[in-house]
Amino acid sequence: MYQGRIHNEIRNILVSNGEKVIEIYHSTESENLVPFLEAFSGTAQTRLQLFNKKGVPLLKDEMEIDKKYIESVIAGETVDNIQAGMKSYPFVGIPFQHGGESYALFLTVEENSVEDEIMNSIHLMYVIILFLGSLLIIIAARFVVIPLIRLTEATKKMAQGDFKIELSTKRKDEIGVLSASFNEMAHELSKLDQMRQEFVANVSHEIQSPLTSISGFSKALKQKNLSEEDRTRYLTIIEEESERLSRLGRNLLRLSHLQHDQHRLNITSFRLDEQLRNVVIGLEPQWSEKDLTLHIQLDPITVEADEDQLKQVWTNLINNSIKFTPVQGAIGVKAEVKNQLITVSIVDNGSGIPEEERKDIFKPFHKIDKSRDSSIKGNGLGLSIVKQIVDLHHGDIEVREGPEGGAKFTVTLPLTNSRA
């Protein structure tokens, strides 16, 4: 970077010193040229040599100058040997006129052992710095590259479906943050993959059971000696299992639609208390069949929400309470407004939900042990649909133990919702 600048600086210094020597000589009007120059040689770390036009050196300094340089200076040119990669000491040749004769005055720097020692030290320092720098670069490269290689290998494993990966690191820098983020991503993907597998297994189970019944009773109907009573019973079972499959398909489609990012609510203003009454009336055949008592306590409430979706919420929740409430049991439905929030609670005195299972009750296909009775219809998607609808309305739903040991579902909704 500095080679050109250094060469120009050396050339300028030598030329300037030479011109000063000539100027001083002319100003003294001395006739003793050779002694005068001899006296100046070695001053300011500068050596001098004077050549006549025949190329004969006139001073005692043993400066070896190529003849071509001498001839060029005698001819009136200023020359130098300063160039990249030069091995000899730099010199400058300046034309000099004295007594009508042409001379060639050459100047070079005086050899200095101290400077040589300093330059050797500098060169040694350069070598040490180069070695240490290269070593540090290698160490730093391994420090950075090895974690990235491990991260790349882990990414390839993840691309092949292996999500049980954890990168161990104690670093706090960007690579450490990246590794921690990767571990978190792998953990979440592992959970999603587990949920996917469970979902597929549950769907397969829910589909296989009615299909097995339909297939079995269809084969039984082929028997010629079957009584009309048995035939009717088999056909009824086939019809019920077919309806079960149909409900499963509808619920899966509804859940998928609600989970889709582009789903939009159809927001309208309506009376929530009237909607709850209509849902209770619509389910009268179910709760009347079990001789259940319903306690209704509804404040007049006008809400802005998706009417059809909220109707599905109340239908699923009340229908669940009816299923798990024993004969001659009781169900309570209450709605009120507090602090611009609507609270709807549905409580029963049925079998209830164990505390350890309440956190999973809204997952698709989740069923508590008490609900696996074949006499109780359901595929474990109703509460998942309820949860999705409530979330879309920016609300919240929770389940607790009821006052009489059953289950109490509480839905909290804002009075108004965005129409987007």
Side-chain angles (χ1 to χ4, degrees):
M1 292 175 61
Y2 299 101
Q3 189 177 49
R5 183 184 299 177
I6 293 173
H7 287 172
N8 289 333
E9 190 69 22
I10 294 174
R11 182 185 295 107
N12 293 337
I13 291 174
L14 292 176
V15 171
S16 176
N17 288 345
E19 290 175 348
K20 287 180 180 178
V21 169
I22 295 173
E23 181 182 354
I24 293 172
Y25 175 75
H26 285 308
S27 65
T28 59
E29 298 181 354
S30 173
E31 295 295 332
N32 299 319
L33 176 60
V34 173
F36 180 87
L37 295 179
E38 286 281 8
F40 265 91
S41 183
T43 304
Q45 301 295 317
T46 304
R47 293 163 47 203
L48 305 178
Q49 182 57 274
L50 186 66
F51 294 90
N52 58 22
K53 61 183 180 179
K54 294 181 180 181
V56 178
L58 303 179
L59 304 182
K60 296 179 180 180
D61 192 293
E62 297 180 358
M63 188 185 303
E64 296 182 0
I65 306 296
D66 194 287
K67 188 175 181 181
K68 65 179 181 179
Y69 290 114
I70 298 174
E71 291 175 351
S72 296
V73 176
I74 294 296
E77 298 180 16
T78 299
V79 301
D80 64 77
N81 71 335
I82 303 174
Q83 57 186 350
M86 62 182 183
K87 297 181 179 179
S88 59
Y89 268 79
F91 64 78
V92 169
I94 303 175
F96 181 30
Q97 299 291 328
H98 173 66
E101 294 290 334
S102 296
Y103 295 91
L105 178 62
F106 283 85
L107 301 92
T108 185
V109 294
E110 188 174 15
E111 295 184 9
N112 191 321
S113 59
V114 176
E115 290 182 0
D116 290 342
E117 188 68 25
I118 292 174
M119 289 305 298
N120 291 335
S121 300
I122 291 174
H123 292 157
L124 178 61
M125 182 180 66
Y126 287 160
V127 172
I128 294 174
I129 291 174
L130 179 61
F131 174 76
L132 293 177
S134 301
L135 183 61
L136 290 175
I137 289 173
I138 293 173
I139 295 174
R142 290 179 63 84
F143 186 71
V144 173
V145 171
I146 289 179
L148 293 180
I149 292 175
R150 292 175 180 170
L151 187 61
T152 302
E153 292 175 351
T155 305
K156 291 179 180 178
K157 290 182 180 179
M158 186 177 292
Q160 296 172 357
D162 182 7
F163 301 111
K164 295 181 180 179
I165 303 171
E166 184 173 357
L167 298 175
S168 58
T169 179
K170 296 181 179 179
R171 298 172 58 156
K172 302 297 182 181
D173 57 2
E174 289 79 1
I175 293 180
V177 173
L178 180 61
S179 298
S181 300
F182 182 87
N183 290 336
E184 183 177 354
M185 179 182 67
H187 179 67
E188 292 299 322
L189 287 175
S190 179
K191 288 171 59 178
L192 288 174
D193 186 61
Q194 182 66 27
M195 291 174 61
R196 177 189 62 81
Q197 293 178 10
E198 291 177 358
F199 184 83
V200 172
N202 287 327
V203 170
S204 300
H205 174 75
E206 292 294 332
I207 292 177
Q208 187 62 37
S209 180
L211 285 178
T212 301
S213 298
I214 292 173
S215 176
F217 287 107
S218 297
K219 292 177 182 178
L221 286 172
K222 293 180 180 180
Q223 299 178 11
K224 295 181 180 180
N225 57 350
L226 194 66
S227 66
E228 189 63 29
E229 182 182 356
D230 289 338
R231 190 180 302 276
T232 302
R233 183 166 62 87
Y234 292 168
L235 286 172
T236 301
I237 293 173
I238 291 174
E239 183 181 10
E240 290 176 350
E241 293 301 315
S242 298
E243 290 177 355
R244 179 180 170 187
L245 277 176
S246 179
R247 286 195 304 271
L248 175 62
R250 288 196 303 269
N251 286 337
L252 284 173
L253 287 174
R254 184 178 291 113
L255 185 60
S256 175
H257 181 62
L258 291 171
Q259 290 176 335
H260 197 275
D261 291 339
Q262 301 302 319
H263 179 77
R264 291 292 182 267
L265 297 175
N266 182 23
I267 303 298
T268 58
S269 180
F270 62 94
R271 286 285 297 271
L272 181 64
D273 54 309
E274 293 181 0
Q275 184 185 59
L276 284 165
R277 268 190 208 93
N278 291 333
V279 170
V280 171
I281 293 171
L283 294 174
E284 182 179 3
Q286 287 91 323
W287 54 265
S288 294
E289 183 181 358
K290 299 180 71 172
D291 194 19
L292 301 180
T293 302
L294 268 75
H295 302 284
I296 310 298
Q297 185 180 349
L298 305 174
D299 293 344
I301 302 172
T302 300
V303 64
E304 289 185 2
D306 190 315
E307 187 172 3
D308 291 337
Q309 300 288 5
L310 282 190
K311 182 180 179 181
Q312 183 70 50
V313 170
W314 316 132
T315 301
N316 286 5
L317 290 178
I318 296 175
N319 198 31
N320 268 2
S321 293
I322 294 172
K323 285 181 185 179
F324 301 110
T325 301
V327 176
Q328 296 184 342
I331 296 175
V333 181
K334 181 180 180 181
E336 58 184 348
V337 178
K338 290 182 180 180
N339 301 322
Q340 297 298 309
L341 290 176
I342 301 170
T343 301
V344 179
S345 58
I346 299 170
V347 59
D348 60 64
N349 60 353
S351 56
I353 302 172
E355 185 175 359
E356 65 272 11
E357 297 197 45
R358 291 173 192 170
K359 63 180 184 301
D360 299 323
I361 196 67
F362 298 106
K363 293 181 180 179
F365 297 107
H366 182 83
K367 295 181 181 180
I368 59 176
D369 292 337
K370 295 179 182 179
S371 70
R372 297 192 184 276
D373 188 346
S374 59
S375 64
I376 299 178
K377 298 178 181 179
N379 47 43
L381 292 176
L383 290 179
S384 298
I385 293 173
V386 168
K387 175 65 174 173
Q388 288 294 327
I389 294 174
V390 172
D391 287 345
L392 287 173
H393 283 82
H394 310 291
D396 186 38
I397 181 171
E398 62 177 4
V399 58
R400 295 181 180 178
E401 184 178 356
E404 299 181 20
K408 179 180 181 181
F409 286 87
T410 303
V411 178
T412 305
L413 296 169
L415 275 173
T416 59
N417 272 274
S418 171
R419 295 178 180 270

